[in-house]
Amino acid sequence: MNSSTALPLFGEDTEQAEAEIQPPPAALGMAAAAARLVPYRDTQFEDGQPRAHLVVDCPFCDHQHIHSAGLASAPRVCPRRSRCVGQPTGVYYFPAVTQ
C-alpha cells in the first residue's frame, strides 16, 4: 500500500461535507430577557400554599425556560441570571418580572 494515498474511512470524502460543517459560536454574551410569574399548586407540599414559576423568554434559543420562584405569596424575583440550555455560551438575565 502506498503511504501517500489517503483513503476515506466512512464513504466518499467530498468537499461539500466539509462546507456544511460550521463551528459553534464562540461566545454569545449576556442579554436581557422578559420574565413573568406563573402561579401553580404543588401537591408535594402539605401546606397547600400556591407556588410560582418564573417563565423566561430566552433571547438565544427562542424557547421558554422555567425557574422556581418559591411561594406565590412571596416569590423570589430578585435580579437573576442563568445560562441558556440550548446555547450554553449565552447568559440571560431578567431585570424585571411581570405577573
Side-chain angles (χ1 to χ4, degrees):
M1 177 182 238
N2 188 349
S3 63
S4 65
T5 305
L7 298 174
L9 292 177
F10 305 103
E12 292 294 319
D13 187 20
T14 63
E15 291 179 24
Q16 181 182 5
E18 290 178 15
E20 292 176 4
I21 298 172
Q22 297 175 359
L28 296 175
M30 186 178 283
R36 64 192 169 284
L37 277 173
V38 178
Y40 71 99
R41 288 221 178 264
D42 193 344
T43 58
Q44 287 185 320
F45 294 97
E46 294 178 9
D47 60 7
Q49 293 186 16
R51 309 280 185 215
H53 281 144
L54 280 171
V55 179
V56 180
D57 298 323
C58 183
F60 298 109
C61 69
D62 295 327
H63 288 91
Q64 294 178 333
H65 299 285
I66 299 173
H67 300 273
S68 176
L71 294 174
S73 59
R76 294 185 313 269
V77 294
C78 58
R80 300 163 141 189
R81 63 186 186 129
S82 186
R83 290 193 184 281
C84 173
V85 176
Q87 300 287 336
T89 57
V91 176
Y92 61 87
Y93 65 96
F94 27 99
V97 177
T98 59
Q99 290 190 350

